[in-house]
Amino acid sequence: MKKLLAVLICLAMLFAVAPTVLVAEASGESAYILHDGVKVYSDNTLGTVIAELAVNTSVTVTGSEQIDGETYYILDYNGSVGYVRAAYVYYAEFYGAELNVRAAKCLADKVGGRINVYASPAEGAEVLYTLSDGVRVDVAECGSEEYYLLIRGDGNGYVKKSEVTEGLSRNQRVALAVTLISVVCVIGIFALIYVQRNKEYIAARKARRNALKKGTDLPE
């Protein structure tokens, strides 16, 4: 009885925190392609490509298979069987609009920091896992002003919009700043050397002119 109760509680929690967009797993679900150029193979040998699909192309998942340690979905594609990497497939409730997936990078608040991935787009939501600064991710609008939907082949979640960027990550920004400072320092050192040598050259020329006027020996 206790085991059954525990199973029921776990199922209830799962349905409570499950994100709207999930990796396609159920047979027969209408699924969608995550990236442009996703390859569909004719069989489980992955030797022949029968199509390259665009992002948000609708496909029907009929099953799955482990190939070389990686999960591939079996598709009903134009009346034929096709195989595609599970990491490149998702299904979704579109919030009344097409899901616009785009690439971004994690942006931590400090160098070497991490960002949280949440079970739902709400303050105080459960943290599912964390990602390092600079990790490339796929995100989409989810109807929230503060959160993006994070789409991953190993599980989805939500991230704060302030913690992802399509530009440079925190580590990249610091690396760029250090590089620029180093370049400025090197230029400054060469400038000081040039100015000092130019002063010495001007002083030597002046000394030579004075010596010529006085008829004395020229300074070496």
Side-chain angles (χ1 to χ4, degrees):
M1 186 65 182
K2 289 182 178 179
K3 291 183 178 180
L4 178 60
L5 181 59
V7 170
L8 292 175
I9 292 174
C10 290
L11 289 174
M13 291 176 64
L14 176 62
F15 284 111
V17 302
T20 304
V21 176
L22 303 171
V23 174
E25 294 178 351
S27 176
E29 290 287 353
S30 183
Y32 302 88
I33 297 300
L34 182 58
H35 299 290
D36 282 324
V38 170
K39 295 179 180 179
V40 180
Y41 300 92
S42 61
D43 53 42
N44 59 8
T45 64
L46 310 180
T48 303
V49 177
I50 59 175
E52 291 189 9
L53 304 181
V55 62
N56 287 333
T57 299
S58 177
V59 294
T60 301
V61 176
T62 60
S64 64
E65 186 174 332
Q66 289 290 318
I67 303 175
D68 295 330
E70 188 170 0
T71 302
Y72 279 75
Y73 287 133
I74 304 171
L75 308 179
D76 180 3
Y77 180 72
N78 289 340
S80 301
V81 174
Y83 287 75
V84 65
R85 287 182 61 184
Y88 295 157
V89 178
Y90 69 93
Y91 70 92
E93 180 180 335
F94 282 118
Y95 300 94
E98 181 178 294
L99 188 65
N100 182 22
V101 180
R102 62 180 185 272
K105 291 189 287 290
C106 296
L107 178 63
D109 60 354
K110 60 183 179 180
V111 176
R114 302 178 69 86
I115 71 167
N116 292 330
V117 179
Y118 300 94
S120 60
E123 191 69 30
E126 177 191 359
V127 177
L128 299 176
Y129 52 91
T130 62
L131 294 173
S132 299
D133 180 83
V135 170
R136 294 185 178 275
V137 292
D138 295 299
V139 296
E141 293 288 348
C142 64
S144 169
E145 293 183 358
E146 298 181 7
Y147 293 83
Y148 281 127
L149 174 67
L150 175 68
I151 302 174
R152 288 171 62 90
D154 57 356
N156 303 295
Y158 297 85
V159 292
K160 291 182 178 179
K161 290 183 177 181
S162 61
E163 295 183 336
V164 296
T165 179
E166 294 184 34
L168 299 177
S169 68
R170 184 73 59 190
N171 291 341
Q172 289 173 325
R173 292 178 185 182
V174 172
L176 179 60
V178 170
T179 300
L180 290 176
I181 292 172
S182 299
V183 170
V184 170
C185 289
V186 170
I187 292 174
I189 290 171
F190 277 104
L192 289 173
I193 293 173
Y194 172 79
V195 169
Q196 182 61 33
R197 289 186 175 179
N198 194 49
K199 285 182 179 179
E200 293 174 355
Y201 174 73
I202 292 173
R205 287 187 60 186
K206 186 176 180 180
R208 287 175 179 271
R209 285 198 300 268
N210 291 336
L212 288 172
K213 289 179 181 179
K214 293 178 180 181
T216 59
D217 293 337
L218 294 176
E220 295 183 359

